[in-house]
Amino acid sequence: MKINVGISVLMGFLIGIITCYFFGRKTILKKYIQLLEQANVQAKKIIRNAEKEGENLKKKKVLQAKEKFIELKSKHDKNIYFREKNIIDIENRTKEKESKLSKEIEFYLKSNNLLEIKMHDYEKKYKILQNKEEEFKNMHKKQVKLLEKISNYSSEIAKNELIKLLKNEAKIKVKSYIRNIIEESQLTAKMKAKKIVIQAIQRIGAEQSAENAVSIFNIESDDVKGRIIGKEGRNIRALERATGVDIIVDDTPESILLSCFNPVRREIARISLQKLVVDGRIHPAKIEEIVLKTEQKIEEEIIEIGKKNLIDLGINGVHPELIKMIGRMKYRSSYGQNLLQHSREVSHLSGILASELGLNVKLAKRAGLLHDIGKIPETESELPHAILGMQWAEKYGENIDICNAIGSHHDEIEMKTLISPIVQISDSISGSRPGVRKNYFESYSKRLKNLEDIAISFEGVNKAFAIQAGRELRVLVKSDKIDDKKAFQLSCDITEKIKNEITYPGQIKVTVIRETRAVQIAK
């Protein structure tokens, strides 16, 4: 029994050794293969680097040879110039000597018969001169051939290469010069265009702001104006503070102007004024009560408007929050175009196009109505309105195709259904009709909204209203958190932040209002 156990242990030991051997061998082979692959990769890198270095060296040698050739050529040209000059001098001296010789020959002819001897000497000298000239030409040719041999370029090729180099350098300089001129002209053109646009805004900004941000409240007689203003202006101040609307009471007969970039606030102020005039009791406490009731009534009307438009378009099953957003579209504008009217047009057009293409008409109309709900929020969002609207539609359980159509109607995301391009086309058709949109009002209202947001960002601020077409900012603070000294400091801080963050024409007046009330109820 013990022998069997010993044999079993021995066999297990041998098997373990054999297994470890094969396992170790495989591991070594894998490592060897990995090392071979790494060596191959490094060898390839070395070969590539060597090839690159060889090419760079070759280019350097070619450039050096060209430079050497140009240097030798310039020296050779100088030598030729000086030799030609010497030849010209020799020719001039030879001519002088010839004239002297001719005179001497004539003299000797007259004196004796040595003409033939002199002529023979003259011909010898002339031949010597010709031989020297031929030697000079041969020497010049040898030097040119030597230079061509050194540089591996013929004289014609070298000339052409030199001309090409000069042309390329000239082209590069000309292109750079032209580019600088074009950039300078574009910069100048942009500056001039901005100046023209600013001048146009200054000329027509006030007129368009009044057209889009002012409502007229008609009254029966001018006696009502005094009651609305109240003693020392307390009624009109209370009304402006409660509604955030600038109320302008001037010499215009039987009318009061309500100025505010937010249409909902203007409507609340108009209805509140109407109720106060009918009631006859106009004082700060009654004003606050009427404004609060009017705000509640407007909220109810917003829901009714949303439901009515859904019934008109044959759309059902919409979340209550989306119904409120549809109703609020009545009091919003997009580039001067009423947002609800625009959304209804897009809904009708989307339904017609979907019907012609044989698609789901109800789905298209629903997407068209909801495509701009991202423009509804009171607070400013960093997201584009299409993406924000898509997120809200997803939150309130809308169809995936509708969410995609909302998010992609300005190409912020990819279109995945046929409903998406239909909504985009319908939006373009509705917004591109001549005279339907006024782009400048959108930037104007955004600037006023930014003013209010800056004030609200400070701690202790309760409400903020931008009035007087953005020339005044009224800030209502919490009296328990802001005292009189802090109120003054807050106005300075708000003014400084406006200067740093907003670009505006003229000046902006910042008014911080702190009010303390003591209220008790007798029972």
Side-chain angles (χ1 to χ4, degrees):
M1 193 69 179
K2 292 180 178 180
I3 294 169
N4 293 332
V5 172
I7 292 168
S8 300
V9 171
L10 182 60
M11 289 298 290
F13 181 73
L14 290 172
I15 290 167
I17 291 171
I18 293 166
T19 304
C20 290
Y21 171 75
F22 283 107
F23 180 78
R25 186 179 179 185
K26 288 181 179 179
T27 305
I28 291 167
L29 285 171
K30 287 182 180 178
K31 288 184 178 179
Y32 179 71
I33 291 167
Q34 290 177 356
L35 289 171
L36 281 176
E37 290 176 350
Q38 291 176 359
N40 287 331
V41 172
Q42 290 179 356
K44 289 179 180 179
K45 286 183 179 178
I46 291 167
I47 290 167
R48 284 197 298 268
N49 292 332
E51 289 176 352
K52 288 180 181 178
E53 289 178 358
E55 289 177 358
N56 293 332
L57 185 61
K58 183 178 177 182
K59 290 179 181 178
K60 287 180 180 178
K61 291 296 182 181
V62 170
L63 289 173
Q64 289 175 358
K66 289 181 180 179
E67 290 173 357
K68 188 68 176 176
F69 171 77
I70 292 168
E71 184 181 355
L72 292 172
K73 186 177 181 300
S74 63
K75 289 181 180 179
H76 178 260
D77 290 336
K78 288 180 182 178
N79 292 330
I80 291 171
Y81 172 77
F82 287 120
R83 289 183 182 181
E84 286 178 350
K85 190 175 180 182
N86 291 330
I87 290 169
I88 291 168
D89 293 335
I90 291 168
E91 287 178 352
N92 292 330
R93 288 196 297 270
T94 304
K95 287 179 181 179
E96 290 176 359
K97 287 180 180 181
E98 284 178 354
S99 62
K100 288 180 180 180
L101 284 170
S102 60
K103 289 178 180 179
E104 288 175 359
I105 289 166
E106 288 178 359
F107 176 76
Y108 281 114
L109 284 171
K110 291 178 181 178
S111 62
N112 53 37
N113 295 322
L114 297 174
L115 179 61
E116 292 181 0
I117 298 169
K118 294 294 182 181
M119 287 295 296
H120 181 69
D121 293 334
Y122 176 77
E123 287 176 357
K124 281 184 178 181
K125 290 179 179 180
Y126 182 75
K127 286 180 180 180
I128 291 168
L129 184 62
Q130 283 183 338
N131 292 330
K132 286 184 178 181
E133 187 176 358
E134 287 178 359
E135 286 178 2
F136 174 75
K137 287 181 180 178
N138 292 329
M139 189 181 295
H140 175 69
K141 289 179 181 179
K142 286 179 181 180
Q143 287 179 347
V144 170
K145 287 180 180 179
L146 182 62
L147 289 171
E148 288 177 352
K149 187 177 179 180
I150 292 169
S151 63
N152 292 327
Y153 281 97
S154 65
S155 59
E156 291 297 325
I157 294 173
K159 286 180 183 178
N160 293 331
E161 288 292 326
L162 184 61
I163 291 168
K164 284 181 181 179
L165 287 172
L166 293 173
K167 282 183 178 179
N168 290 332
E169 288 179 0
K171 284 180 181 179
I172 291 169
K173 289 182 180 179
V174 169
K175 285 180 181 178
S176 177
Y177 181 72
I178 291 170
R179 191 184 302 111
N180 292 334
I181 291 173
I182 291 171
E183 289 176 355
E184 186 178 355
S185 63
Q186 286 177 347
L187 182 62
T188 307
K190 286 181 180 179
M191 292 174 66
K192 287 183 179 179
K194 287 178 181 178
K195 187 176 180 181
I196 292 167
V197 172
I198 289 169
Q199 289 175 351
I201 291 170
Q202 288 175 338
R203 290 181 180 179
I204 67 173
E207 178 184 349
Q208 298 301 329
S209 297
E211 179 184 343
N212 290 281
V214 174
S215 297
I216 298 175
F217 178 71
N218 296 315
I219 55 178
E220 293 180 355
S221 66
D222 290 342
D223 296 336
V224 180
K225 290 183 179 179
R227 292 162 55 198
I228 291 172
I229 294 170
K231 187 178 180 180
E232 296 179 355
R234 64 175 186 173
N235 291 343
I236 195 169
R237 285 200 302 273
L239 188 58
E240 288 178 342
R241 188 165 56 248
T243 60
V245 175
D246 187 20
I247 300 173
I248 303 169
V249 181
D250 54 15
D251 296 334
T252 307
E254 299 181 355
S255 66
I256 295 173
L257 296 180
L258 308 177
S259 175
C260 181
F261 72 95
N262 191 321
V264 177
R265 292 184 197 166
R266 283 208 314 273
E267 186 66 12
I268 291 171
R270 188 187 67 79
I271 295 172
S272 300
L273 261 177
Q274 189 176 5
K275 288 181 178 180
L276 288 167
V277 170
V278 171
D279 186 86
R281 295 174 294 171
I282 305 175
H283 53 82
K286 188 66 177 178
I287 288 169
E288 290 181 1
E289 180 186 347
I290 292 293
V291 168
L292 184 61
K293 289 181 179 179
T294 305
E295 287 177 350
Q296 294 174 354
K297 184 181 177 183
I298 289 291
E299 288 295 325
E300 293 173 359
E301 284 185 1
I302 284 170
I303 296 171
E304 291 300 320
I305 290 167
K307 289 180 178 178
K308 183 178 180 298
N309 281 276
L310 289 172
I311 292 169
D312 292 344
L313 295 169
I315 300 171
N316 52 26
V318 178
H319 193 278
E321 289 297 325
L322 292 179
I323 293 174
K324 288 183 183 179
M325 291 179 186
I326 294 168
R328 285 184 181 277
M329 287 183 183
K330 181 181 178 181
Y331 302 102
R332 291 287 184 275
S333 62
S334 176
Y335 302 100
Q337 183 183 20
N338 183 270
L339 192 58
L340 181 58
Q341 185 64 32
H342 167 65
S343 298
R344 283 176 62 93
E345 286 180 4
V346 174
S347 179
H348 282 301
L349 289 168
S350 299
I352 293 167
L353 292 174
S355 176
E356 292 292 332
L357 296 171
L359 301 175
N360 191 327
V361 175
K362 290 185 177 180
L363 205 65
K365 292 176 75 175
R366 193 183 189 105
L369 182 65
L370 299 175
H371 81 285
D372 266 348
I373 58 172
K375 293 182 178 179
I376 298 304
E378 293 287 343
T379 58
E380 193 68 25
S381 175
E382 295 180 358
L383 294 173
H385 75 272
I387 302 298
L388 186 61
M390 180 185 71
Q391 291 179 356
W392 282 351
E394 290 174 348
K395 179 180 177 182
Y396 297 121
E398 287 297 321
N399 188 289
I400 296 173
D401 294 348
I402 292 175
C403 295
N404 182 257
I406 294 170
S408 64
H409 78 275
H410 284 311
D411 293 323
E412 274 87 2
I413 62 172
E414 183 183 357
M415 295 183 181
K416 296 181 179 179
T417 64
L418 291 175
I419 298 296
S420 300
I422 287 174
V423 172
Q424 187 184 55
I425 292 166
S426 302
D427 179 50
S428 299
I429 293 170
S430 175
S432 61
R433 290 185 289 109
V436 74
R437 289 191 168 184
K438 298 171 184 176
N439 298 341
Y440 37 78
F441 178 70
E442 188 75 10
S443 60
Y444 164 75
S445 62
K446 188 175 181 181
R447 180 168 64 85
L448 298 188
K449 190 71 177 65
N450 289 339
L451 279 175
E452 293 183 354
D453 290 341
I454 286 173
I456 292 170
S457 66
F458 286 88
E459 187 178 356
V461 175
N462 188 19
K463 291 181 181 179
F465 304 112
I467 60 177
Q468 295 286 349
R471 291 189 294 274
E472 183 177 354
L473 180 65
R474 290 187 181 177
V475 183
L476 306 180
V477 299
K478 299 174 183 177
S479 59
D480 56 339
K481 293 186 178 180
I482 304 292
D483 56 19
D484 292 339
K485 291 182 179 179
K486 289 182 179 179
F488 177 77
Q489 183 61 39
L490 180 64
S491 66
C492 296
D493 293 341
I494 292 172
T495 304
E496 190 64 28
K497 193 170 182 180
I498 289 171
K499 288 179 182 177
N500 294 332
E501 295 186 7
I502 295 180
T503 303
Y504 53 90
Q507 59 185 13
I508 297 174
K509 178 182 177 182
V510 178
T511 305
V512 176
I513 300 171
R514 180 178 177 270
E515 185 179 34
T516 305
R517 295 187 184 186
V519 180
Q520 295 292 332
I521 299 172
K523 296 183 180 179

